[in-house]
Amino acid sequence: EDQVTQSPEALRLQEGESSSLNCSYTVSGLRGLFWYRQDPGKGPEFLFTLYSAGEEKEKERLKATLTKKESFLHITAPKPEDSATYLCAVQANDYKLSFGAGTTVTVRA
Amino acid sequence: GAVVSQHPSWVICKSGTSVKIECRSLDFQATTMFWYRQFPKQSLMLMATSNEGSKATYEQGVEKDKFLINHASLTLSTLTVTSAHPEDSSFYICRPTGVFRGRGNTEAFFGQGTRLTVV
């Protein structure tokens, strides 16, 4: 069974204080690893897809990296508007997504 | 990105009644639809998968007679919660997939979600 574990569960940052979120996974036949941002009461918003170990992608203050066992989402110099829950999901060959429980990030001004 | 419209965004219903949730893919053909449920402070749990024109496949522990899924067209799928009870109160989210603008699958895009409260 595919498993996705995210840590920490919650992260409180001061504005400008960079940090990283972890997503460790086990999956049979990884098609892709996805990062999403979810605001309260909203559906997940797509951030990145990573397909193979060593791949990196960046978008504004966010950078995602992937190894064979885990992925990191780095938040550089975060701003209050980066406050959200960040979800990691893995997609196997059946196209289903298995989600982690998420990391709730709070950035204080 | 792909445009996905889910309606309603929230609904309150009385226990024992049924509620229908719609999910539309506005700019691509959704050959497959995934329906998720999310309880507070928890992650998304897959409920069922449906292919256009076929019966849905339900995940273990999800009652198929309670959560009726219709995927009769490539742009619309519905989830009906029948005889709703307070324990069905949750956040329901759809995820249509298909070929988007000829560039591959749309697995990245979700509906906005529907907050169901059963009183």
Side-chain angles (χ1 to χ4, degrees):
Chain A
E1 185 178 324
D2 303 338
Q3 285 197 326
V4 182
T5 303
Q6 289 188 248
S7 62
E9 183 177 318
L11 191 59
R12 294 177 63 86
L13 301 171
Q14 197 68 34
E15 184 172 5
E17 179 188 0
S18 301
S19 188
S20 293
L21 284 57
N22 177 265
C23 171
S24 61
Y25 65 92
T26 55
V27 63
S28 54
L30 178 72
R31 290 195 74 251
L33 183 141
F34 293 73
W35 281 99
Y36 297 89
R37 169 193 171 121
Q38 187 177 26
D39 293 302
K42 301 281 183 67
E45 174 189 341
F46 171 73
L47 294 174
F48 304 108
T49 309
L50 301 168
Y51 294 104
S52 57
E55 189 174 358
E56 298 183 352
K57 288 193 176 174
E58 286 188 68
K59 179 182 179 180
E60 295 181 356
R61 295 177 292 282
L62 301 176
K63 178 179 177 181
T65 62
L66 180 67
T67 72
K68 289 187 177 180
K69 294 183 178 180
E70 59 190 350
S71 176
F72 291 93
L73 182 67
H74 308 277
I75 308 179
T76 302
K79 297 182 177 181
E81 52 262 42
D82 295 323
S83 297
T85 295
Y86 291 86
L87 299 172
C88 169
V90 295
Q91 185 180 51
N93 290 328
D94 58 5
Y95 289 87
K96 293 181 179 179
L97 290 178
S98 297
F99 283 85
T103 295
T104 299
V105 175
T106 305
V107 183
R108 304 186 304 274
Chain B
V3 180
V4 181
S5 176
Q6 186 174 339
H7 177 81
S9 57
W10 62 271
V11 58
I12 301 173
C13 71
K14 290 185 177 180
S15 186
T17 62
S18 296
V19 172
K20 181 183 285 187
I21 301 169
E22 293 187 349
C23 182
R24 295 179 185 274
S25 53
L26 301 182
D27 58 353
F28 69 97
Q29 294 185 327
T31 51
T32 302
M33 183 72 73
F34 297 94
W35 285 95
Y36 296 84
R37 180 167 53 182
Q38 186 178 33
F39 292 106
K41 305 284 188 186
Q42 295 185 27
S43 193
L44 282 74
M45 297 300 295
L46 180 65
M47 297 175 65
T49 305
S50 69
N51 294 307
E52 184 263 338
S54 302
K55 288 186 178 180
T57 302
Y58 292 80
E59 297 298 302
Q60 192 171 9
V62 178
E63 299 174 58
K64 63 179 181 180
D65 294 329
K66 182 170 194 56
F67 299 99
L68 302 180
I69 292 172
N70 183 289
H71 190 175
S73 81
L74 289 171
T75 58
L76 172 65
S77 175
T78 61
L79 167 66
T80 301
V81 183
T82 63
S83 187
H85 289 99
E87 57 265 32
D88 299 324
S89 298
S90 188
F91 192 57
Y92 293 87
I93 313 172
C94 65
R95 179 172 74 90
T97 69
V99 178
F100 177 55
R101 298 178 185 169
R103 294 204 303 265
N105 287 327
T106 54
E107 57 262 15
F109 305 104
F110 285 78
Q112 301 90 334
T114 298
R115 170 71 59 194
L116 170 63
T117 302
V118 184
V119 298

